[in-house]
Amino acid sequence: MTGQRRIIAQVLETAKGHPDAEEIYTEATAIDSAISLATVYRTVKLFFELGILERLEFGDGRARYEDAERDHHDHLFDIETGAVIEFVDPELEVLQEKIAHRLGYRLMAHKMELFGVKLDKED
Amino acid sequence: MTGQRRIIAQVLETAKGHPDAEEIYTEATAIDSAISLATVYRTVKLFFELGILERLEFGDGRARYEDAERDHHDHLFDIETGAVIEFVDPELEVLQEKIAHRLGYRLMAHKMELFGVKLDKED
DNA sequence: TTATATGCAAAGTCTTTGCTCCACG
DNA sequence: CGTGGAGCAAAGACTTTGCATATAA
């Protein structure tokens, strides 16, 4: 456990959103300027493989990360604003297990992203 | 509608799996060698924006495509073999609508991917 | 014709890696 | 002290783009 990794872990723990590598890099260098982007990528990859981190992809080419220690949740992506809303639905979790099982699989992970627009006056 | 686009569309219609750009390019040039990879990318992007195509990302860096005209379904990704299994679950579809609505959103699209390993003797 | 699409190659993004040096244990 | 990590810069993988040419309508 090196200083750099500690800092990157800290950045991810305290991050409110879902930062990408560049953002992690920016925040990390604010704490200790002796961190390179390469190290961010290496650390993020390592943490991901260790299950410490989750990798999110919303289809815009870059990966975003979040602390996996936090309670599990899925994401709703606001198409208009780009906002990411987190949610949990126990019913959904159960249903996914059921579906996987029905297909002859043991569920190891899942990714579920809803894409929507805000309801205003309508409905 | 140019010849190239027609061929790319044809390749996607007849494709059994979920080809990436390179694979589309290979199949397309087999039909007519006068198609460039750039055209594949441009066409695929165009079709995606027109809603003719769906773009899938399984987190391995490249996008894969499938004909959107086909019946909607979700995917289960076999972690060990890389196989992609398609499935539909009406209950899941309804549940997603419900969740989005509860969060104050109108569901426009969703992406749901299960990642699992085959059940053998276990269970 | 006349706007639009294609090819080619160069450029862009995001991410990974080789190599040397430094640091943790 | 030695093994593994960090920095830097170069390389990679995938995708996009500028420009001149070709083509559909």
Side-chain angles (χ1 to χ4, degrees), chain B residues 8-56:
Chain B
I8 291 171
Q10 179 193 328
V11 166
L12 280 154
E13 272 165 31
T14 62
K16 32 220 154 291
H18 306 80
D20 60 25
E22 201 74 41
E23 287 163 353
I24 295 170
Y25 172 65
T26 303
E27 295 219 10
T29 47
I31 298 171
D32 177 347
S33 60
I35 292 180
S36 71
L37 187 53
T39 296
V40 171
Y41 274 108
R42 273 192 278 239
T43 303
V44 135
K45 188 179 187 179
L46 175 71
F47 284 0
F48 174 65
E49 283 162 0
L50 292 174
I52 294 172
L53 224 69
E54 256 167 58
R55 191 202 301 266
L56 307 173

Side-chain angles (χ1 to χ4, degrees), chain A residues 57, chain B residues 20-23 41 56-65:
Chain A
E57 286 169 66
Chain B
D20 60 25
E22 201 74 41
E23 287 163 353
Y41 274 108
L56 307 173
E57 286 172 66
F58 295 116
D60 55 357
R62 73 198 147 189
R64 299 160 79 168
Y65 301 87

Side-chain angles (χ1 to χ4, degrees), chain B residues 109-120:
Chain B
H110 75 261
K111 227 184 281 184
M112 152 104 194
E113 285 136 28
L114 302 180
F115 295 80
V117 296
K118 213 154 204 157
L119 293 169
D120 304 292

